[in-house]
Amino acid sequence: MMVRPVDMLHALGRITTPPVTELIDLSSTWAEIRYLWAFLPNFDGRRLRSLRLNSTVKDLDFHQKTLLSDEFGVGFAAYFMAVCARATDPVDVFVAKRGGQLRLRGNSRRSLPDYIFRGPQPGQFYIVECKGTQSARATAVSQLQRGTEQVLAVDIAGAPGVTRLVIAAWLQQAVTLLIVDPEEDEENPVEVRKLSRWEPEEIGIFADAKRLTYIGDRAAASKLVREHLEAGHELSFEERHLIPRETRLGTYLGSQWQAEMPDGRLLRMFRGLDGKIYEQIRQGTRPAPLESQGEIGIGRGEGFHVESEGGDHRAVVRSISPDGSLFEIELQ
């Protein structure tokens, strides 16, 4: 597969953004900021080369290296699901204080898989566990084995088609994805306790909340899922003005982050969502399936679209995903 670093960062930032946040969780910060520097640059733009991590990544301390491997496993799995499975609406299986979820004790949370995706066909869903390692290939295979147990712990009410996948990113040399869809023996089903049960409508609501949190509209995201969460001490967020960004594919609304780099250059990042999709969510209407969206976002299931521009000591690259979200990097 051809994977651009900007598209993988886009997929990673999009999927790791929580539907609701209390700001203490690491995923409430931008994953793109942490990992922009992790790739080995290809300065020979005339020749394609396998995607690789730079040597500095291999010199990180054990804890940081483990976190990077885990999150890259999530990012590459998200990219694969968007491009190859044409899946949308990723939802975190574990959402603290969600009404329909069993109270998890001890290590039972570790028995849950990572995400639910909605497939391109009506009633089709994917339950996905993501793994990642920079160790030997045998470690990645062992992770796959563990994941085959986790993907069985989730149930989706009334779904006629559920595919369970374990996706492991092996991050040595060129990046390799190892994928297994464990078979379920209908005659001798494995007894696994269902730790989380989701309604299809609930998946759509939490997926939309992730979209809103991704672009910085935390107040709207909180309102969207409030009745589906147990009462607690969630933070209150004020309405914020979203920044418009005009592209050849339309107007995107979102928020930006910027900082001065050690060499004096200004780095700016922007996260956005197609304006039409944003208005649909705010008005309480679910976005139509991608196949019928026409000009909203990509709307054709063709993968990520990339635009770039530059000149006068300024460079911009933007990635637009099939679900209508946008991620842009500017350096000047």
Side-chain angles (χ1 to χ4, degrees), residues 145-156:
Q145 183 177 15
R146 166 61 178 153
T148 60
E149 304 169 4
Q150 293 171 269
V151 293
L152 297 175
V154 175
D155 193 23
I156 301 175

Side-chain angles (χ1 to χ4, degrees), residues 104-110:
L104 304 179
R105 302 179 183 277
N107 290 328
S108 57
R109 178 180 174 180
R110 297 181 61 184

